[in-house]
Each structure stands twice: as structure tokens, then as C-alpha cells.
Amino acid sequence: QVQLVQSGAEVRKPGASVKVSCKTFGYTFTSFDVNWVRQAPGQGLEWMGWMSPNSGDTGFAQKFQGRITMTRNTSITTAYMELHSLTSEDTAVYYCARDLKYGDPGGFWGQGSLVTVSS
Amino acid sequence: QSVLTQPPSASGTPGQRVTISCSGSSSNIGTNSVKWYQQLPGTAPKLLIYSDNQRPSGVPDRFSGSKSGTSASLAISGLQSEDEADYYCAAWDDSLSDLYVFGTGTKVTVL
């Protein structure tokens, strides 16, 4: 069955970077886009961006432009999201999610990765 | 700040019908299909509705979606205790700032 397994919790200091991985199982990795969504404590869902594992094409929410990268390693069916120049406002649970079908994000979700930014 | 507006809360007793609204604009709901997600406490979101009114495999038919103009709605019929969760609408947006936008979220309480 389709599974997305994310890397564990991370603690970073302000100004640092964090890279979250999303290992996928149970489907052809290059056939479905991966989106990244975050949720700050007690807050709603916030879309960060998408990546095509096939082409490597990406698209990001404007607020993250310039400090986010999304990459993939097709040989190990893993997607990555790296966020730079962290501040306390980046403390959140970060989710990867596979499209249900093209254009429908969030058909399958990872378990989430807590990133805490604290001095 | 989300561009899709939902009421912060909704409630009902078991068996009742609850409806959640989602208000957007011509660049998102007015042009693109709406999705709805359910997030149970402490868990990842789950896709409930896509393409305005389609249910993924395994989602009970108690959940239904509709859209009219720049607004959409999620209805939960025969409310059950396990439906107590946060619900989010979402849609692709054709404006330049955010490509995909979530609603503000609605907490559904089963009384």
C-alpha cells in the first residue's frame, strides 16, 4: 500500500537550515507530485510548495521563495524539503503529501516531522 | 492569512447534519476545484473530497461536497462522534502569490 515515511524531529537554532525527508513506498515515485504542508502549534494548514519527482520541477508559496528547496532522489524514492534561515516562526509540524491524482494534493500523507527552532 | 474563509466552529448532536462553508474568490474556488480535508486530533490530514464533490475510496458517503460560484460547502450527514475533527477546504489559486491555498479551518464538535 502507499506509504510516506518522514524523518524524525529536529531542533535548530535561529538562522540555521533543516532538511526533512519523505521516503515513499507502494507506488511509482515519479508518477505523482509531492506537496509539502506545515502546521504551526495550534494553527491551521499552510501550503509550502510542490515538486514533480519526474522532472524535478517545483513551485513555492511566495512567502517561502528564496529560502526553500525541494529535491528528490529517484533511486531511493525519497523527496526532500529544505528550509533555510529559520526563525521561531518556522516551528511547526511539516508534512509531505502525495497527490491522489494529478492536481489533487494530499491523497496520501506522511506522519509529519516536528521542527523546533529555538535558541 | 488564508484567502479561503471558513467558520471557526460548527457543532451538532449525533445523527444530525452539519454543514461547513468555504468562501473564496474568482482566482481559486471560482476557477478551480475544491478539496476538503479532515484532521483528527494529533494526526495528519486526510483527503475527504476532491473535484468539488468526489470521495476517495474508503470515505463514507455521509460526507458530501458542493460548490457554487466562489463558495463551497462540506456536509456531514448522520454525524458521528468520530467526526469530531478539524476540517479544511483548499483549492489551487491562479494568483501570483500562493499556488495552493487552504481555508482557515473549522472545528467540528459532536455534542
Side-chain angles (χ1 to χ4, degrees), chain A residues 17-38:
Chain A
S17 299
V18 68
K19 189 172 186 178
V20 180
S21 67
C22 175
K23 168 70 175 171
T24 70
F25 302 88
Y27 71 97
T28 301
F29 177 63
T30 52
S31 294
F32 297 90
D33 290 353
V34 173
N35 286 255
W36 288 86
V37 174
R38 76 177 185 179

Side-chain angles (χ1 to χ4, degrees), chain B residues 1-79:
Chain B
Q1 303 90 318
S2 174
V3 298
L4 301 183
T5 303
Q6 301 177 231
S9 63
S11 62
T13 57
Q16 277 191 328
R17 174 184 171 95
V18 169
T19 301
I20 301 167
S21 62
C22 174
S23 177
S25 68
S26 58
S27 66
N28 41 67
I29 293 177
T31 305
N32 300 301
S33 69
V34 176
K35 297 58 155 133
W36 289 90
Y37 303 87
Q38 176 194 59
Q39 187 176 31
L40 298 171
T43 69
K46 170 188 173 182
L47 182 65
L48 276 185
I49 298 288
Y50 67 99
S51 297
D52 300 335
N53 55 21
Q54 301 299 301
R55 289 183 304 276
S57 174
V59 174
D61 59 7
R62 303 186 293 104
F63 295 93
S64 62
S66 63
K67 186 176 84 172
S68 178
T70 59
S71 294
S73 293
L74 174 72
I76 310 173
S77 302
L79 191 65

